[in-house]
């Protein structure tokens, strides 16, 4: 039997699947595992099932040892994994694409609605106990019908978000490394543009691109200045894609109308500038947070690990 180390809590169904074939050492605490404890536990592991809260780098790979075959990340993003270091050591890295597409797109649309219709402000007003009364100009927001949604990163989640927005009567433009399938583009009425054009013409900009050196602070002060002052910025991808200091300043100064953020640059810390503002909706990385989605993610990660341990091709390899 091979030894599988699971770095954080995952659904029991996935653990049972792993335990049916291998010895499993799973971190069961609701708190994230400490670095020293993690390095100790991975020693001698044949497989590591990792969460996005754990950094899988050369130090961890060397601590595991040369017998390590696979790192199965329970996430679609893998910026927590040093993929070149894995490849250099002959370790297969995998992720969980596809299974969280719809749930994350739901959160993106929820943030769009919350930001444009000022739902967070209204909820806070009622909970504060302050007097309020309906009026023609009370907490006016912005409608979606006839507006333009600009999607940065038109992969599966970006396309799923576009479908939802289309149902609300929005026009779709997108920026991506490559053209999407012509049939999908026709279905959505989506047009590919460069980032500058997207920022200048979108009423809402939604980020769905992967995070890496090329997208670090992709949205900074210059990009925010290029947006309409009536526009909204939505991020369900990764926090460091946005320069948070620049965004806080833009929101404070009315350079853009609002934002909705599910991810943050230094999670779990949130830029203090956001906490003082009413025009930003903040949720704690809930993109894939449904029972069904998290279970599917964990099962796919288990399938990835089991496949590599059986010398088979995993369902979702990265390298």
């Amino acid at each position: 039997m091979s030894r599988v180390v699971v770095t954080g809590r995952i659904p029991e169904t996935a653990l049972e699947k792993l335990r049916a074939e291998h010895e499993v050492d799973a971190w069961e605490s609701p708190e994230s595992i400490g670095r020293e404890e993690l390095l100790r536990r991975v020693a001698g592991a044949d497989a590591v099932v990792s969460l996005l809260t754990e950094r899988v780098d050369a130090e961890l790979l060397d601590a595991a040892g040369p017998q390590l075959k696979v790192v199965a990340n329970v996430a679609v993003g893998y910026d927590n994994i040093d993929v070149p270091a894995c490849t250099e050591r002959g370790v297969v890295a995998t992720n969980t694409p596809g299974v969280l597409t719809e749930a994350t797109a739901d959160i993106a649309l929820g943030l769009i609605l919350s930001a444009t219709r000022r739902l967070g402000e209204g909820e806070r007003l009622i909970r504060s106990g302050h007097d309020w009364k309906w009026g023609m100009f009370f907490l006016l927001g912005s409608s979606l019908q006839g507006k333009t949604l600009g999607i940065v990163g038109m992969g599966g989640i970006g396309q799923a978000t576009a479908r939802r927005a289309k149902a609300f009567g929005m026009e779709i433009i997108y920026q991506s490394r490559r053209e999407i399938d012509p049939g999908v583009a026709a279905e959505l009425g989506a047009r590919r543009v460069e980032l500058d054009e997207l920022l200048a013409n979108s009423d809402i900009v939604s980020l769905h691109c992967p995070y890496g050196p090329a997208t670090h602070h992709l949205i900074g002060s210059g990009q925010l200045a290029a947006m309409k002052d009536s526009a909204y910025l939505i991020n369900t991808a990764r926090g460091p894609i946005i320069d948070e200091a620049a965004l806080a300043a833009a929101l404070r100064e009315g350079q853009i109308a609002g934002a909705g953020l599910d991810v943050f640059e230094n999670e779990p810390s949130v830029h203090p500038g956001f906490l003082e503002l009413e025009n930003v909706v903040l949720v704690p990385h809930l993109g894939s947070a449904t029972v069904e989605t998290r279970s599917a993610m964990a099962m796919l990660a288990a399938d990835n690990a089991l496949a590599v341990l059986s010398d088979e091709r995993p369902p979702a390899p990265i390298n």
Side-chain angles (χ1 to χ4, degrees):
M1 296 177 72
S2 297
R3 181 166 175 268
V4 180
V5 172
V6 183
T7 69
R9 294 178 68 193
I10 64 173
E12 189 62 30
T13 50
L15 288 176
E16 289 174 358
K17 189 166 194 176
L18 292 167
R19 287 177 179 139
E21 299 183 35
H22 302 288
E23 173 193 346
V24 175
D25 179 2
W27 180 253
E28 299 286 358
S29 171
E31 301 296 325
S32 295
I33 189 171
R35 183 67 176 179
E36 289 186 11
E37 178 66 14
L38 176 60
L39 295 176
R40 186 187 70 77
R41 284 188 178 230
V42 299
D46 300 286
V48 172
V49 177
S50 58
L51 303 188
L52 57 82
T53 47
E54 277 71 67
R55 189 174 74 257
V56 179
D57 54 12
E59 179 186 38
L60 184 141
L61 297 170
D62 291 342
Q67 79 294 326
L68 183 65
K69 287 187 172 183
V70 57
V71 172
N73 211 37
V74 190
V76 63
Y78 48 87
D79 48 290
N80 61 308
I81 296 179
D82 186 336
V83 177
C86 288
T87 304
E88 182 182 339
R89 291 161 177 77
V91 176
V92 177
T94 67
N95 66 339
T96 59
V99 293
L100 47 68
T101 296
E102 302 302 329
T104 307
D106 286 347
I107 285 288
L109 186 63
L111 287 172
I112 290 170
L113 288 168
S114 294
T116 58
R117 295 299 302 275
R118 303 175 68 178
L119 301 184
E121 291 179 67
E123 206 258 358
R124 287 190 293 275
L125 179 66
I126 287 178
R127 287 188 181 276
S128 72
H130 288 173
D131 291 337
W132 65 276
K133 161 171 147 176
W134 185 91
M136 283 291 289
F137 301 97
F138 178 61
L139 283 181
L140 290 184
S142 176
S143 64
L144 301 183
Q145 293 75 23
K147 301 294 176 60
T148 297
L149 173 64
I151 294 181
V152 181
M154 196 64 153
I157 298 172
Q159 291 177 32
T161 302
R163 287 190 179 92
R164 286 156 173 75
K166 190 72 175 175
F168 278 77
M170 299 192 75
E171 300 296 323
I172 309 297
I173 58 177
Y174 73 95
Q175 185 271 327
S176 200
R177 287 176 292 181
R178 58 184 67 89
E179 295 273 359
I180 62 173
D181 179 88
V184 174
E187 170 202 347
L188 298 173
R191 179 171 59 91
R192 186 182 181 212
V193 297
E194 294 301 319
L195 182 60
D196 288 350
E197 183 178 346
L198 182 146
L199 294 171
N201 290 285
S202 296
D203 298 293
I204 299 166
V205 175
S206 190
L207 304 178
H208 300 282
C209 51
Y211 174 67
T215 56
H216 181 75
H217 286 187
L218 178 70
I219 304 299
S221 56
Q223 291 72 33
L224 292 162
M227 293 172 63
K228 300 177 181 180
D229 60 10
S230 58
Y232 297 82
L233 178 65
I234 307 297
N235 190 11
T236 56
R238 284 293 185 266
I241 295 172
I242 296 175
D243 180 341
E244 289 188 346
L247 176 57
L251 290 167
R252 186 173 57 251
E253 295 164 10
Q255 197 170 46
I256 65 172
L261 308 175
D262 182 46
V263 288
F264 303 93
E265 192 165 1
N266 298 297
E267 290 183 19
S269 297
V270 175
H271 193 285
F274 295 147
L275 303 177
E276 305 166 354
L277 300 170
E278 288 287 355
N279 59 343
V280 56
V281 179
L282 308 168
V283 295
H285 207 142
L286 299 179
S288 62
T290 69
V291 172
E292 299 84 355
T293 299
R294 292 284 170 83
S295 295
M297 291 167 63
M299 290 296 279
L300 179 51
D303 288 339
N304 281 327
L306 291 171
V308 177
L309 291 173
S310 298
D311 296 321
E312 299 172 357
R313 179 178 175 82
I318 298 169
N319 60 352

